[in-house]
Amino acid sequence: MSNKDNLKLKQIYGESDDKIELINGVSVPITRNAVYGLFGQKSSGKTTLQNKIVKEIIERNKRLNSYDLENPFIVKDAPITNVFLLSKSANSDMSTFLNAETNSKTIIDLRVYQNGMDDFIKSLYEFSDSIIATLKLQCQLRFNMKTKQIRDKLILYNQQRRRRVDDDAEIDLLYQVSQQVNLIKQKYKYLCVKETNPEVIRSMNLLHNLYKQKYDGLCLRKHSIIIQVDDSSASKFLSGAGSTNLFTEFLTLTRHFGVYAMLINCHSITLFQGQRRQMINNYILLQGLKLEQVENLFEDIGLVNKNFSKQKFIEEYQNQMGFNAPLNQNGKFRYNFVYILLLPDKQVYLNFDKKIY
């Protein structure tokens, strides 16, 4: 994992002598398309850490502006376009910031959905499918616009100052496709990016001019989403009644739907069944987990091996951040957590910056 993939977090809560250092320069390895599970009891810092990570991801992505139009289904260095917060608390302490930074903050109260999480997943599928279908049209359109035959036709028709070109089915079809793309561009303006190929720009200008329209010079790009599940009843939605549901299917397909990262807060590990836990590939364990909970999680993530035994892991957790952890010099618990990375390489970080496996 290279350093450029790590987020640096720094945040201090409190004032004067009561200042509590929650996060201070720790390094978080961020894996794109990953699903993160934040485990801890109430008031253990799940929401604070989740919001801080999301803020830092957005800050970093704001500085990235390159996008490969030739490979639109591979999001490369693209800014975050959508942040979906699934929460009962519409007044999240980060909602104002996210509204300002992404212009596409969506706060979703799961209680308004009859089927909870599954209804949200269905709407996300529809959102993603409409964009992907339009990207396919745009790819074909751009390919045609770079061909000499089409370009010569467009130049000839413009020189002849033709008022109608619907007698040329090929050219008329290209224009109709461009209009379909424009509809999605108008609906999701934050998914627009500048066209970079000069041949395509010239041909598109010629095409639109024939129909007395002006080409805006923009293309549709794939969305890049962050999903936050910050709900006291999240475990209920994640556990599900049967062996499979839409959400568990979605966890295995996030990379296909433009999900940059997904962060799930869970304090009820008992409800959060092992089958669901195994679908998460990055774990963050905060203070407050009971011994049996830590044992269950460790078994689920499959890190028991000759180099790092379950017993050793439990001892590290209990002594550094669990119930046996010592208080700091101010008589307060340190803001400690264990970060477990399963992909691409199995690694465990204690307090993030101290690598213990």
Side-chain angles (χ1 to χ4, degrees):
M1 183 68 63
S2 62
N3 291 332
K4 69 178 182 178
D5 294 323
N6 289 4
L7 296 181
K8 292 290 185 180
L9 305 183
K10 187 170 185 179
Q11 179 173 318
I12 298 177
Y13 275 6
E15 298 178 356
S16 64
D17 294 336
D18 296 327
K19 182 169 61 177
I20 303 173
E21 189 175 285
L22 295 183
I23 304 171
N24 186 15
V26 295
S27 179
V28 185
I30 293 295
T31 306
R32 187 171 296 177
N33 304 130
V35 180
Y36 296 82
L38 284 71
F39 294 88
Q41 301 299 331
K42 291 181 179 179
S43 302
S44 60
K46 297 187 301 296
T47 298
T48 298
L49 184 58
Q50 182 189 70
N51 288 332
K52 185 64 176 174
I53 291 174
V54 171
K55 177 180 176 181
E56 293 295 334
I57 292 175
I58 293 175
E59 283 288 333
R60 183 175 67 177
N61 279 268
K62 274 176 22 181
R63 299 188 292 270
L64 304 174
N65 54 20
S66 62
Y67 186 81
D68 188 357
L69 288 171
E70 305 301 324
N71 297 285
F73 298 101
I74 302 177
V75 179
K76 182 180 180 181
D77 293 342
I80 300 299
T81 60
N82 297 78
V83 178
F84 294 104
L85 172 62
L86 282 66
S87 175
K88 287 183 179 179
S89 175
N91 298 317
S92 170
D93 58 347
M94 287 296 295
S95 60
T96 302
F97 169 84
L98 293 174
N99 269 315
E101 296 301 328
T102 67
N103 296 320
S104 60
K105 172 69 177 177
T106 304
I107 299 176
I108 298 172
D109 188 340
L110 290 175
R111 292 172 296 183
V112 305
Y113 287 109
Q114 182 178 0
N115 297 316
M117 189 77 74
D118 280 359
D119 283 352
F120 165 70
I121 297 301
K122 289 178 181 178
S123 65
L124 192 60
Y125 271 49
E126 294 173 359
F127 166 69
S128 183
D129 288 347
S130 65
I131 294 170
I132 291 176
T134 307
L135 278 176
K136 291 179 179 177
L137 288 176
Q138 181 176 272
C139 285
Q140 188 60 48
L141 179 65
R142 293 183 73 254
F143 174 79
N144 289 330
M145 285 299 167
K146 288 184 283 187
T147 62
K148 185 178 186 302
Q149 178 185 0
I150 296 297
R151 187 167 60 251
D152 289 345
K153 271 190 179 183
L154 293 172
I155 293 174
L156 177 62
Y157 290 161
N158 273 274
Q159 289 175 344
Q160 295 175 349
R161 297 186 178 181
R162 295 181 60 164
R163 292 184 178 275
R164 294 177 61 83
V165 291
D166 51 3
D167 57 327
D168 189 322
E170 185 178 31
I171 297 299
D172 192 59
L173 177 61
L174 292 175
Y175 179 73
Q176 298 305 322
V177 170
S178 72
Q179 293 304 95
Q180 291 183 52
V181 174
N182 281 337
L183 287 176
I184 300 298
K185 283 162 53 179
Q186 290 298 315
K187 187 175 182 180
Y188 307 112
K189 294 182 179 179
Y190 48 84
L191 294 180
C192 289
V193 63
K194 289 183 179 180
E195 173 60 69
T196 56
N197 190 301
E199 291 184 6
V200 173
I201 294 175
R202 283 194 295 268
S203 296
M204 290 296 292
N205 280 326
L206 291 170
L207 177 66
H208 281 68
N209 187 57
L210 290 175
Y211 292 84
K212 306 306 176 186
Q213 300 289 331
K214 186 174 181 180
Y215 176 54
D216 59 13
L218 299 176
C219 283
L220 179 74
R221 69 176 177 86
K222 190 174 179 181
H223 52 280
S224 188
I225 298 173
I226 292 178
I227 298 178
Q228 291 180 267
V229 181
D230 187 8
D231 194 308
S232 60
S233 60
S235 299
K236 178 184 69 175
F237 293 110
L238 296 174
S239 62
S243 59
T244 60
N245 58 21
L246 269 179
F247 185 75
T248 55
E249 174 189 340
F250 178 79
L251 284 180
T252 64
L253 297 173
T254 52
R255 64 186 182 280
H256 298 300
F257 295 94
V259 177
Y260 183 96
M262 184 171 184
L263 295 91
I264 305 170
N265 284 346
C266 264
H267 69 268
S268 180
I269 299 176
T270 303
L271 284 175
F272 194 53
Q273 298 171 356
Q275 182 182 5
R276 310 299 192 271
R277 294 197 295 263
Q278 293 171 2
M279 293 180 179
I280 293 178
N281 43 44
N282 291 266
Y283 291 77
I284 298 176
L285 311 185
L286 294 97
Q287 291 174 346
L289 296 182
K290 297 178 181 179
L291 177 61
E292 60 268 25
Q293 294 174 328
V294 179
E295 288 179 335
N296 289 339
L297 284 171
F298 189 75
E299 291 175 353
D300 283 341
I301 58 184
L303 285 173
V304 178
N305 57 51
K306 61 181 181 180
N307 296 322
F308 199 80
S309 67
K310 180 171 68 174
Q311 180 181 356
K312 179 182 178 183
F313 177 81
I314 296 298
E315 290 176 354
E316 291 280 2
Y317 178 86
Q318 291 292 81
N319 294 331
Q320 295 293 334
M321 56 176 292
F323 291 107
N324 298 331
L327 303 180
N328 62 17
Q329 59 183 357
N330 295 322
K332 299 180 181 297
F333 280 109
R334 292 174 295 173
Y335 192 73
N336 291 338
F337 27 73
V338 170
Y339 181 91
I340 301 174
L341 173 68
L342 299 185
L343 296 174
D345 297 311
K346 293 181 179 180
Q347 296 176 333
V348 177
Y349 291 81
L350 181 64
N351 299 334
F352 291 115
D353 52 354
K354 179 184 177 184
K355 183 177 178 182
I356 57 177
Y357 168 71

